[in-house]
Amino acid sequence: MFKTLLNWLFGRRTPTPVQQQPVTQAAGFEKLNRQAPLRAGPPAAAATEPAAAPQEIGATFICREAVLNRKQKIAGYQFLLQEAARNHIRNSSRRVHHLYAEVLVNSLAHADIGKLLGPRSAYIDIPDSFIDHECILHLPAANTVLVLTRLPDAGTPAPDALLATIRRLRAIGYRIGLPDPVSEPGFADLLPEADVVIVRAPQLTAEAALALTASIVERAPRATLLVRELPGLEDFNFCFKLGASLFQGPFITSREDWKDHNLGPNFTRLAMLAGKLRKQAETDEIVTLLKQDAALAVRLLRYINSAANGLSEHVSSIERALILLGRDKLYRWVMLLMCSTDDKEGRASAVLETALVRARMMELTGSRLSAPERESLFLTGLLSLIDVVLQVPMERAMTSLAVAPEIEAAIMRSEGPYAPQLMLAQACERADAEAIRSAAERSQTTPEEAAEFHLQALAWALEIQQAEA
């Protein structure tokens, strides 16, 4: 009966057993992403027994959304069930919700998220009646924010018992998140214990927001305010001025009017270098140009030597990099450095992480193609958000780069041979099941393979971001 319930809940099929491996930084993060790919598509295969090894959960069972701080750097992730599965259990019994929460928590605990996320936090929504479950203690206290939700059916814990459990968990380092008192008045008495108060942007008007934030400051004096579902930068700026500390939603990759913005000098120098690499200029000419800015040369070598590149020796000079990598690979790293060269304020690092995931995922989907075609797929993904990273109009950035026509067609018009792979990466970010199936078919892959490529890309992107840190 229990197996039948699980199969109904998650639409499961029998998984292929996964062999246990030591949790290293890269391999462990990849394991985490097998269970929680960032916005990675529809529910799919998962383990048939809740007591089985959690890594057997299907690659598209859980997703995550980035949470940014006031500097618009990634502060953590909300881990949650894919939208289709959430809708499937929305009106289910408390027992079914507990079952989901247990699998979610065990999956994250098994992946050792404390080691994998470093200083970032995991925001995990659970029913209030699940907070005293023994599996909660398997999560790393320093990284975990338990966000309580209320269910409509019977079984809500007694207020005194819930308060005691919250205080016990906070005493050992866990943080507690609560919905705002307007959307969930049932938790109002617990607000003094809250570390985070969650507000949903669509529910806010200017007048209501001012009253709500004043109430939160008074009733939850030590809590930070997390605003979810922010659609655009105007909404972010409004909530920023209200004093919110954490932000979540589509605003991260939204675009503005940047027609008056210009490209920085570092971008121009690297664009010249990229052009010389494409035109097969002499090595001495390339090295001389790069050495005009020692800081850029150091950053480029740092990227090249990152663990994600897998080189067998440490590269200490651009000349050696050309020998080991070749011009095509070096061109890739120059383009990557170009996407992060001017250190603009705001969302650049968070957007760059998304671009890196797109780039690596697109490259992986082209495993049957030639090496030059795979490089072009990588560059298509990397440059697809370059306007947001550099805060300039896309047309201006693409003109300065003079990329191959196929890359430009995919980015600017969603046309050409690389467009399906770009659409697939974008569909994975949106967790759009139908778009994933359609784009996967056009890319000559499957949704399951796409989920696997996405998780591999996330692990790779983390390594690259660490190289720049």
Side-chain angles (χ1 to χ4, degrees):
M1 164 117 182
F2 200 49
K3 182 185 293 186
T4 303
L5 176 61
L6 284 170
N7 288 336
W8 168 81
L9 177 59
F10 301 126
R12 295 170 173 170
R13 57 177 180 270
T14 303
T16 302
V18 178
Q19 186 174 354
Q20 292 278 6
Q21 294 180 348
V23 178
T24 62
Q25 179 72 8
F29 193 76
E30 185 169 326
K31 181 187 293 183
L32 169 64
N33 283 290
R34 267 197 292 275
Q35 298 151 56
L38 182 61
R39 291 302 231 169
T48 55
E49 295 287 350
Q55 77 272 21
E56 294 179 358
I57 294 173
T60 56
F61 167 54
I62 302 169
C63 67
R64 63 182 186 174
E65 295 183 9
V67 176
L68 271 56
N69 60 22
R70 286 180 67 85
K71 295 182 179 179
Q72 298 187 55
K73 309 293 185 183
I74 296 178
Y77 300 95
Q78 179 194 7
F79 291 89
L80 66 166
L81 192 65
Q82 289 283 359
E83 183 174 7
R86 294 201 306 273
N87 291 337
H88 192 57
I89 70 167
R90 192 176 305 279
N91 298 316
S92 298
S93 69
R94 186 174 295 268
R95 183 185 176 213
V96 171
H97 282 271
H98 277 214
L99 179 61
Y100 152 66
E102 184 176 357
V103 176
L104 171 62
V105 169
N106 282 334
S107 300
L108 298 175
H110 181 83
D112 197 4
I113 59 171
K115 183 181 297 183
L116 302 173
L117 295 179
R120 296 175 177 178
S121 299
Y123 296 81
I124 307 170
D125 291 29
I126 58 171
D128 54 3
S129 50
F130 188 78
I131 193 172
D132 61 351
H133 195 285
E134 61 182 6
C135 71
I136 294 292
L137 298 179
H138 298 157
L139 294 169
N143 296 87
T144 302
V145 181
L146 300 169
V147 179
L148 301 191
T149 61
R150 208 169 183 88
L151 300 177
D153 58 345
T156 298
D160 290 346
L162 182 57
L163 178 61
T165 302
I166 287 174
R167 287 177 171 171
R168 174 172 56 82
L169 290 172
R170 292 192 74 254
I172 57 177
Y174 291 92
R175 284 166 288 163
I176 301 298
L178 295 174
D180 71 83
V182 173
S183 63
E184 185 45 77
F187 287 140
D189 292 340
L190 297 174
L191 285 173
E193 302 295 329
D195 298 284
V196 181
V197 174
I198 290 88
V199 176
R200 300 189 180 277
Q203 300 172 354
L204 291 178
T205 62
E207 183 178 356
L210 289 170
L212 179 60
T213 52
S215 174
I216 291 172
V217 168
E218 180 182 355
R219 303 172 73 177
R222 60 186 169 196
T224 55
L225 183 61
L226 165 58
V227 184
R228 288 179 172 173
E229 301 174 29
L230 284 165
L233 280 174
E234 286 188 6
D235 306 276
F236 164 80
N237 290 329
F238 172 69
C239 293
F240 185 95
K241 292 176 182 177
L242 283 175
S245 299
L246 300 166
F247 310 88
Q248 188 176 336
F251 83 95
I252 295 175
T253 55
S254 63
R255 290 176 163 89
E256 298 178 88
D257 181 5
W258 294 310
K259 63 183 179 182
D260 295 328
H261 290 198
N262 294 312
L263 295 165
N266 286 337
F267 181 93
T268 303
R269 184 176 294 114
L270 286 168
M272 291 174 59
L273 177 59
K276 290 185 179 297
L277 284 168
R278 285 193 65 196
K279 294 176 181 178
Q280 301 297 312
E282 294 294 330
T283 299
D284 289 345
E285 189 178 356
I286 293 171
V287 173
T288 299
L289 179 61
L290 187 54
K291 285 183 177 178
Q292 290 176 8
D293 191 322
L296 287 181
V298 169
R299 291 180 69 197
L300 179 59
L301 290 173
R302 189 184 302 152
Y303 273 134
I304 292 170
N305 285 305
S306 69
N309 207 27
L311 292 180
S312 58
E313 67 175 78
H314 182 82
V315 179
S316 57
S317 70
I318 299 301
E319 295 94 329
R320 187 60 179 162
L322 278 167
I323 293 173
L324 285 178
L325 295 177
R327 289 170 180 265
D328 288 343
K329 287 287 186 181
L330 186 59
Y331 178 77
R332 165 194 293 207
W333 294 103
V334 169
M335 299 296 275
L336 173 58
L337 188 56
M338 196 181 301
C339 287
S340 58
T341 184
D342 286 320
D343 195 27
K344 291 185 180 293
E345 294 293 327
R347 306 168 292 162
S349 63
V351 177
L352 179 58
E353 182 174 296
T354 300
L356 287 169
V357 173
R358 287 186 186 182
R360 181 60 174 160
M361 179 180 175
M362 290 180 66
E363 181 183 27
L364 292 170
T365 62
S367 59
R368 302 177 185 88
L369 302 176
S370 66
E373 288 176 307
R374 292 196 300 273
E375 287 296 319
S376 293
L377 284 170
F378 180 92
L379 292 175
T380 301
L382 181 64
L383 300 177
S384 63
L385 287 169
I386 194 170
D387 59 328
V388 185
V389 173
L390 299 179
Q391 298 179 16
V392 297
M394 180 64 84
E395 294 82 358
R396 189 175 304 165
M398 297 301 289
T399 300
S400 301
L401 293 172
V403 297
E406 296 84 359
I407 296 176
E408 182 177 359
I411 294 173
M412 301 295 294
R413 301 183 297 279
S414 299
E415 298 173 353
Y418 307 138
Q421 290 88 345
L422 179 57
M423 292 177 181
L424 178 59
Q426 293 167 332
C428 284
E429 294 166 17
R430 300 192 307 270
D432 187 334
E434 185 56 40
I436 289 171
R437 282 192 290 270
S438 175
E441 183 177 356
R442 292 182 60 196
S443 302
Q444 297 183 333
T445 187
T446 66
E448 292 76 17
E449 288 175 327
E452 182 67 20
F453 293 149
H454 199 212
L455 71 90
Q456 291 179 33
L458 282 161
W460 182 88
L462 177 65
E463 294 280 10
I464 296 302
Q465 293 285 68
Q466 288 176 337
E468 181 64 4

